[in-house]
Amino acid sequence: MMNGQAGWESGTADDLVADALGLGVQATARMVTDYVEVGLLAPPRYRKTTQRGSDQRLFPPEQRRLFYELCRAKQRSPLPRVPHRTMIPVVLYMWLTDDTVIPAEQARRALRTHASATGISAEGRRRKSANQVVEQFAHPTATTAQRLRLAQLLREGEQTRRPDWDAVADALAAVASPWRRGEGPAEIVRGFGPPQMPLTTDQVGAIWEAKWAVTRQLRTESVPEGKLLEAREAARKDWAGYAAQRPALMRDAGHLAHIFDVPEDQEQMARQHVNRFLAVLAHALGEMRPAFQRAAERAHARL
């Protein structure tokens, strides 16, 4: 989207509004300010041109074009109103893959907005997301009660932002290996994923828990900038390795092969990048190890 800035000049907020209106997108100076506050745009640059004051601040060419492209994305959306938070992953994707457009200050605000959006989805969207998780992990013999229990815990955890990770882990294990509390040997637990990336449900829960802990820190912008940049470099290497392994992972994943599909649209690709970055950031912030330790303790207690 941002391959070079040829033909673009710096512009004031009024210039950005004019760009949007030229596309047929309604925009105001207040909208530009809102974009800066949530991280969709970087703060404009101060410029002093008179002895006693300054002229209207300027957005550099790359930010002006970014605003223009975001307006075009809004035009393409089927939604009558596009919430700011839904465009944040695209900005973060650009920051994760390119060093020339999104400065660190803007990325911090965008990450704060992304983390703050957790749990504010409509009930219908939360329900759909929870049901998708249940279907992904449920064994065919899992009971309706087991499935409903897991879906309820996932919805409530997202809505309240206070997931009961012990309960979620137990419910996830119950739908994935429903025989463990029945007639089968207690030590038999289903694994998931291809041979290169085997996971138990407790390990899946640990990843969720660690990423959730990271979102709490991002909401308060308490993650040091150095850690964000360190995690970004690690995430780039992680993604390159994942992209190289993706065909083999899809081939060996069986009925879960769809989770390794390459998205057809940029928005979904952006969300995949951001989700993997959060996992890498959880490692960088030391959240993964204790989460996996708690997962191991839960699994042991369940035997």
Side-chain angles (χ1 to χ4, degrees):
M1 185 173 76
M2 304 294 294
N3 296 326
Q5 312 305 326
W8 290 88
E9 299 178 352
S10 299
T12 65
D14 290 340
D15 292 327
L16 270 61
V17 169
D19 292 341
L21 294 176
L23 281 172
V25 175
Q26 292 299 313
T28 63
R30 178 67 233 184
M31 173 181 162
V32 174
T33 300
D34 290 345
Y35 272 32
V36 172
E37 290 177 354
V38 301
L40 287 172
L41 288 174
R45 296 170 180 172
Y46 174 83
R47 56 171 178 159
K48 183 175 177 62
T49 57
T50 64
Q51 186 173 4
R52 296 187 178 181
S54 62
D55 288 342
Q56 193 175 4
R57 298 188 178 206
L58 283 177
F59 291 90
E62 61 272 15
Q63 290 286 316
R64 184 175 179 178
R65 183 181 178 190
L66 172 60
F67 181 76
Y68 180 86
E69 297 292 351
L70 290 173
C71 287
R72 289 184 62 191
K74 290 179 67 173
Q75 276 189 319
R76 294 192 298 269
S77 174
L79 299 175
R81 179 179 176 276
V82 181
H84 295 343
R85 67 179 184 275
T86 64
M87 297 187 289
I88 288 292
V90 175
V91 170
L92 291 174
Y93 170 73
M94 293 169 60
W95 175 70
L96 288 169
T97 57
D98 190 290
D99 293 338
T100 64
V101 179
I102 311 299
E105 179 184 4
Q106 181 183 357
R108 288 176 67 85
R109 294 186 184 189
L111 285 165
R112 179 196 64 198
T113 301
H114 182 72
S116 299
T118 302
I120 66 174
S121 300
E123 174 59 23
R125 184 177 292 273
R126 280 195 296 269
R127 185 177 298 276
K128 179 180 179 181
S129 177
N131 289 341
Q132 286 175 338
V133 172
V134 172
E135 290 306 311
Q136 179 176 340
F137 289 98
H139 188 272
T141 60
T143 67
T144 299
Q146 289 171 325
R147 294 167 186 261
L148 291 176
R149 171 64 172 163
L150 175 58
Q152 179 184 6
L153 287 169
L154 293 172
R155 292 197 312 272
E156 291 178 350
E158 183 179 2
Q159 183 177 20
T160 63
R161 296 185 176 180
R162 305 178 95 175
D164 184 339
W165 293 113
D166 289 336
V168 168
D170 285 345
L172 188 60
V175 300
S177 305
W179 57 81
R180 298 183 73 248
R181 295 180 182 179
E183 68 277 5
E187 68 273 11
I188 296 178
V189 181
R190 282 180 71 206
F192 295 88
Q196 306 97 311
M197 298 175 62
L199 288 172
T200 66
T201 54
D202 287 293
Q203 291 169 331
V204 170
I207 295 172
W208 293 349
E209 183 180 353
K211 290 168 67 175
W212 195 272
V214 167
T215 64
R216 290 200 306 268
Q217 297 185 55
L218 292 174
R219 281 199 295 267
T220 58
E221 295 190 49
S222 58
V223 180
E225 182 178 316
K227 279 292 183 183
L228 290 176
L229 296 177
E230 172 189 328
R232 182 176 68 168
E233 289 305 309
R236 289 175 176 177
K237 295 177 182 178
D238 170 77
W239 186 268
Y242 172 62
Q245 296 180 42
R246 203 167 197 164
L249 293 172
M250 292 180 65
R251 184 182 63 246
D252 298 336
H255 72 285
L256 293 178
H258 64 279
I259 67 176
F260 300 107
D261 286 343
V262 178
E264 296 181 358
D265 60 88
Q266 185 181 24
E267 286 76 13
Q268 188 59 34
M269 176 65 78
R271 295 182 193 284
Q272 284 195 2
H273 269 267
V274 174
N275 285 335
R276 287 189 72 90
F277 171 73
L278 292 179
V280 174
L281 183 58
H283 274 291
L285 296 177
E287 296 288 354
M288 278 294 187
R289 186 179 296 275
F292 269 76
Q293 179 60 40
R294 287 188 290 271
E297 292 170 358
R298 282 193 291 259
H300 181 76
R302 213 179 288 122
L303 294 177

